[in-house]
Amino acid sequence: QVVTVPNNKFETSTNITSGSSIQITSGLNGNLTSSVFDTCITGSNCGAAINTIMWNGASNGGAVKFQIASSDCPNAQTNYSICDSPGSWSFVGSDGTNGTYYQPTSSGLPLDLKYDDHKNKRYVRYKVFLDAVGASPVVYDIIINWTP
């Protein structure tokens, strides 16, 4: 599923249904992968800078961390001429590899994303990881800020 963001709204949010949240069983770890978000606002301006990620909720002593994937095609291909061929999303963290994460220090604080990893890409996804130490972290909303 590709989620198209309305014109002039340079922020993508999960906007998890009121009264709902993402959480896991206490003492366990889990993750959730987002839908594909389309940052195109006009037919001729279809690349974006993915700037920050932020989450709202409660850590409850656990950790909430992210990896980001971006692409020129909704199926993860990196070349427009092969957008019809299957691809795979490469989720990366703060050093541009799949072995690291973006980990905001707390709920409500945006964390800068590495510009060079996601510049001028049209499609973006995130993977959120919840690490429960005692009670599970609870996530109500995940916000990605971007500019065309």
Side-chain angles (χ1 to χ4, degrees):
Q1 172 187 4
V2 175
V3 178
T4 301
V5 180
N7 288 350
N8 301 321
K9 181 168 178 162
F10 306 121
E11 183 173 280
T12 300
S13 173
T14 57
N15 198 14
I16 299 164
T17 306
S18 179
S20 297
S21 63
I22 303 169
Q23 37 188 138
I24 55 174
T25 303
S26 180
L28 297 177
N29 301 326
N31 66 72
L32 174 119
T33 303
S34 75
S35 299
V36 178
F37 295 97
D38 184 356
T39 64
C40 186
I41 56 173
T42 67
S44 61
N45 187 17
C46 289
I50 313 301
N51 301 317
T52 63
I53 192 160
M54 180 176 78
W55 68 280
N56 291 313
S59 66
N60 294 327
V64 177
K65 53 193 180 183
F66 299 91
Q67 289 182 327
I68 307 296
S70 57
S71 178
D72 294 323
C73 302
N75 63 357
Q77 287 291 356
T78 57
N79 184 328
Y80 290 117
S81 65
I82 56 172
C83 278
D84 293 333
S85 300
S88 62
W89 291 91
S90 296
F91 290 90
V92 298
S94 58
D95 73 354
T97 70
N98 65 1
T100 60
Y101 303 90
Y102 291 101
Q103 190 168 350
T105 54
S106 67
S107 171
L109 295 176
L111 181 65
D112 290 338
L113 301 177
K114 188 175 174 187
Y115 175 76
D116 287 341
D117 289 340
H118 308 290
K119 68 180 176 186
N120 204 30
K121 300 295 183 185
R122 178 174 175 172
Y123 299 96
V124 64
R125 299 178 83 175
Y126 64 81
K127 189 180 286 190
V128 58
F129 297 83
L130 303 181
D131 296 337
V133 174
S136 170
V138 179
V139 176
Y140 296 109
D141 199 17
I142 297 168
I143 300 165
I144 296 176
N145 173 275
W146 53 274
T147 51

